[in-house]
Amino acid sequence: MLSVMLQMIRQQSETVPQCTLENMFVAVMDNIFLLVLVTLLSVIQNVFFALKVEKECTHSKNSAAFERLSCANRNCMDTYPTFLAVLWCAGICLSQAPAAFAGIIYLVVRQKYFVGYLGQTCQSTPGFLFGKRILFFLSLMCVVGIINHLMLTYGGSDYKEYIQTITKAASTLLLLP
Amino acid sequence: MLSVMLQMIRQQSETVPQCTLENMFVAVMDNIFLLVLVTLLSVIQNVFFALKVEKECTHSKNSAAFERLSCANRNCMDTYPTFLAVLWCAGICLSQAPAAFAGIIYLVVRQKYFVGYLGQTCQSTPGFLFGKRILFFLSLMCVVGIINHLMLTYGGSDYKEYIQTITKAASTLLLLP
Amino acid sequence: MLSVMLQMIRQQSETVPQCTLENMFVAVMDNIFLLVLVTLLSVIQNVFFALKVEKECTHSKNSAAFERLSCANRNCMDTYPTFLAVLWCAGICLSQAPAAFAGIIYLVVRQKYFVGYLGQTCQSTPGFLFGKRILFFLSLMCVVGIINHLMLTYGGSDYKEYIQTITKAASTLLLLP
């Protein structure tokens, strides 16, 4: 009898989840560090754009080129808060890996858009459309994440595993031109 | 004696909070999903504004109308990061329901402001003032949330329940014209 | 024997971390309330800038002064999402106190930049460079935080304590002119 009780106590202390606050922060970091990396990359890109505009402003005498560069920079900056908002919402609501992947593709597209603007104006349109597709994908991830959360709360069924697998597969479709 | 101890063990395993990491994420989602919804709505509105400007830019020959539309869009975009920041701070610090409610009213006001800009310039001023009132309300929520947190940490008294009730009641005052 | 077991049960109920969801939110608030304060200050500064521009727009007849003020405001607003993103990432990844301190210095620099713009255009350049140094410091904090997290996950060694101490010391270097 006593040995059974001792075993119960030991077993209990193993089954009780060791959810210290320290563990909690490690778990939080586990779920956002890719998003932080993408955010950092986007910040470096922003600084690169700003330096380009500043250099063109001080050195170049070509007013049209500066105008075009400044316009490209403003277009990128206008959509930047929107991009950050959906990136983080999608990453937190559903899964960080596909969100970070879509974010990196968005950064590549933005780079192509900015460089395309330096050449001719007509090159910029495809980049703008591509950006919209990625924002749509990230928004869809948010919506699916919220619907899954509501189903888990009110219906009791959790499809998060399946959805995350589907999302990871679907995110590769963003690579299509 | 043994039965008392068995009861103690059972009681303990019930009172120990089952705070697994899985539970934690559900709890986090519970506290932010309304904010995510409002953020998504604001993103959709941003895209709507951008499409309006793009359409006016390519199709219309009326330069003044495009100028006005572009200016309205820029005004909305300029305050967008500020709005997002106070919305999320207020939602996390105090309570998400009133913050999300104020956020939705802000989006309605922004829509009225944007559409008003399409007509005449004089219509835009009330919308701008209304937006400031909502931002002030959200900032106040942040301040109250931080003061309550400091009182809880250093004073030991927690008025969060009362404050949340008052905030919910006060948020309806934003509906006043 | 029984008394030993009673002691075990009592001891266990003390050592098991009382990580309720309530505790969790207090811990989260503990780790972000300085960031929320800095965000609020930046929002107040944004509103102050916007009011300055609005007042200059309606009252002044000096077109050049309004142009300069509007340009200063736009420059500040363009880097605002970038600033918020690195501030929060640095605060969450590593430690909030140095991040909030750097954030406050950034706000002071921005104020000096904005007021300097009101005088002459040449005064604005140093402020712009100072801002870049703070953004670089915050980005570095993010990178160090992520590297430490990866080392903790894959290597098992945790240098967070040392890094936080070094960061706090390094943040005072930002006070150098």
Side-chain angles (χ1 to χ4, degrees):
Chain A
M1 182 65 189
L2 279 176
S3 65
V4 167
M5 281 182 63
L6 266 172
Q7 207 183 348
M8 266 183 75
I9 295 174
R10 280 209 196 95
Q11 202 179 17
Q12 192 191 345
S13 64
E14 277 164 20
T15 53
V16 163
Q18 293 291 323
C19 174
T20 60
L21 291 178
E22 193 53 49
N23 271 3
M24 198 184 86
F25 287 115
V26 171
V28 166
M29 273 301 287
D30 258 337
N31 277 276
I32 64 165
F33 80 95
L34 283 177
L35 300 176
V36 172
L37 267 182
V38 173
T39 306
L40 266 186
L41 281 178
S42 71
V43 165
I44 290 168
Q45 205 184 26
N46 283 347
V47 171
F48 167 75
F49 288 172
L51 288 178
K52 273 271 190 195
V53 172
E54 201 188 6
K55 192 182 152 197
E56 189 78 19
C57 178
T58 51
H59 289 287
S60 166
K61 301 293 169 201
N62 188 348
S63 175
F66 169 65
E67 197 65 39
R68 224 186 293 138
L69 206 59
S70 166
C71 180
N73 184 42
R74 188 164 307 147
N75 281 351
C76 289
M77 285 301 108
D78 270 0
T79 52
Y80 185 59
T82 310
F83 163 65
L84 271 191
V86 289
L87 173 72
W88 279 84
C89 285
I92 292 172
C93 286
L94 201 56
S95 161
Q96 68 161 347
F101 181 70
I104 283 176
I105 294 180
Y106 181 84
L107 294 184
V108 170
V109 166
R110 200 166 69 151
Q111 185 73 32
K112 273 168 70 182
Y113 172 77
F114 191 78
V115 172
Y117 233 101
L118 302 189
Q120 286 172 339
T121 321
C122 58
Q123 276 184 280
S124 65
T125 322
F128 190 50
L129 286 173
F130 200 112
K132 275 193 278 196
R133 200 168 69 177
I134 298 170
L135 290 183
F136 178 72
F137 174 74
L138 288 170
S139 304
L140 206 68
M141 277 180 69
C142 293
V143 172
V144 170
I146 289 176
I147 290 172
N148 183 59
H149 173 71
L150 292 180
M151 274 168 61
L152 177 62
T153 310
Y154 296 109
S157 50
D158 190 2
Y159 302 111
K160 203 167 185 179
E161 296 289 323
Y162 307 105
I163 293 172
Q164 282 181 350
T165 312
I166 294 168
T167 313
K168 271 170 200 159
S171 66
T172 58
L173 290 177
L174 289 173
L175 285 174
L176 291 178
Chain B
M1 181 64 191
L2 280 175
S3 66
V4 168
M5 281 183 65
L6 267 173
Q7 204 182 350
M8 265 183 76
I9 295 174
R10 280 208 196 96
Q11 201 179 17
Q12 193 189 343
S13 65
E14 276 164 21
T15 54
V16 165
Q18 294 290 325
C19 174
T20 60
L21 291 178
E22 194 52 49
N23 271 3
M24 198 184 86
F25 287 115
V26 172
V28 167
M29 274 301 288
D30 258 338
N31 277 276
I32 63 166
F33 79 96
L34 283 177
L35 299 175
V36 172
L37 267 182
V38 173
T39 306
L40 267 187
L41 281 177
S42 72
V43 166
I44 290 167
Q45 205 184 26
N46 283 347
V47 171
F48 167 76
F49 287 172
L51 288 178
K52 272 272 189 193
V53 171
E54 202 188 7
K55 192 180 152 200
E56 189 78 18
C57 178
T58 51
H59 289 286
S60 166
K61 302 289 171 205
N62 188 349
S63 174
F66 169 65
E67 196 67 38
R68 223 186 294 139
L69 206 59
S70 166
C71 179
N73 184 42
R74 187 164 307 147
N75 282 349
C76 289
M77 284 301 108
D78 270 0
T79 53
Y80 185 60
T82 311
F83 162 66
L84 271 192
V86 289
L87 173 72
W88 279 84
C89 285
I92 291 172
C93 287
L94 201 55
S95 161
Q96 69 161 345
F101 181 71
I104 284 175
I105 293 180
Y106 181 82
L107 293 184
V108 170
V109 165
R110 200 166 69 150
Q111 186 73 32
K112 272 168 72 182
Y113 171 77
F114 191 78
V115 173
Y117 233 100
L118 302 189
Q120 285 172 339
T121 322
C122 57
Q123 275 183 281
S124 65
T125 322
F128 191 49
L129 287 173
F130 201 113
K132 275 193 280 195
R133 200 168 70 178
I134 298 169
L135 289 182
F136 178 73
F137 174 74
L138 288 171
S139 304
L140 206 68
M141 277 180 68
C142 292
V143 172
V144 170
I146 290 175
I147 291 174
N148 183 58
H149 173 72
L150 293 180
M151 274 167 60
L152 177 62
T153 310
Y154 296 109
S157 49
D158 191 1
Y159 301 112
K160 204 167 184 180
E161 296 290 323
Y162 306 105
I163 293 171
Q164 283 181 349
T165 313
I166 293 170
T167 314
K168 271 170 201 160
S171 67
T172 56
L173 289 177
L174 290 174
L175 285 174
L176 290 178
Chain C
M1 181 65 189
L2 279 177
S3 65
V4 167
M5 279 183 64
L6 265 172
Q7 206 181 347
M8 265 182 77
I9 294 174
R10 280 207 197 97
Q11 201 177 18
Q12 192 191 343
S13 65
E14 276 165 20
T15 54
V16 164
Q18 294 292 324
C19 175
T20 59
L21 291 178
E22 194 51 51
N23 271 4
M24 198 185 85
F25 286 116
V26 172
V28 167
M29 273 300 289
D30 259 337
N31 277 276
I32 63 166
F33 80 95
L34 284 177
L35 299 176
V36 172
L37 267 182
V38 173
T39 307
L40 265 187
L41 281 178
S42 73
V43 165
I44 290 168
Q45 206 184 24
N46 283 347
V47 170
F48 168 75
F49 288 171
L51 288 178
K52 272 271 188 194
V53 172
E54 201 188 8
K55 192 182 151 198
E56 190 77 20
C57 178
T58 50
H59 289 287
S60 165
K61 301 293 170 202
N62 189 350
S63 174
F66 169 65
E67 197 66 38
R68 224 186 294 140
L69 206 60
S70 167
C71 180
N73 183 42
R74 188 164 306 147
N75 281 350
C76 290
M77 285 300 108
D78 270 0
T79 53
Y80 186 60
T82 310
F83 163 67
L84 270 192
V86 289
L87 173 72
W88 279 84
C89 285
I92 291 171
C93 287
L94 202 54
S95 162
Q96 69 161 346
F101 181 70
I104 284 176
I105 293 180
Y106 181 84
L107 294 184
V108 170
V109 166
R110 200 166 69 151
Q111 185 72 33
K112 273 167 71 181
Y113 172 77
F114 191 79
V115 172
Y117 233 103
L118 301 189
Q120 287 172 338
T121 321
C122 58
Q123 275 183 281
S124 65
T125 322
F128 190 48
L129 287 172
F130 201 114
K132 275 193 278 196
R133 200 168 71 179
I134 298 170
L135 289 183
F136 178 73
F137 174 74
L138 288 171
S139 304
L140 206 68
M141 278 180 68
C142 293
V143 172
V144 170
I146 290 175
I147 290 173
N148 183 60
H149 174 73
L150 293 179
M151 274 168 61
L152 177 63
T153 309
Y154 296 109
S157 50
D158 190 2
Y159 301 112
K160 203 166 185 181
E161 296 289 322
Y162 307 106
I163 292 172
Q164 283 181 350
T165 312
I166 293 169
T167 314
K168 271 170 200 158
S171 66
T172 56
L173 291 176
L174 290 173
L175 284 175
L176 291 178

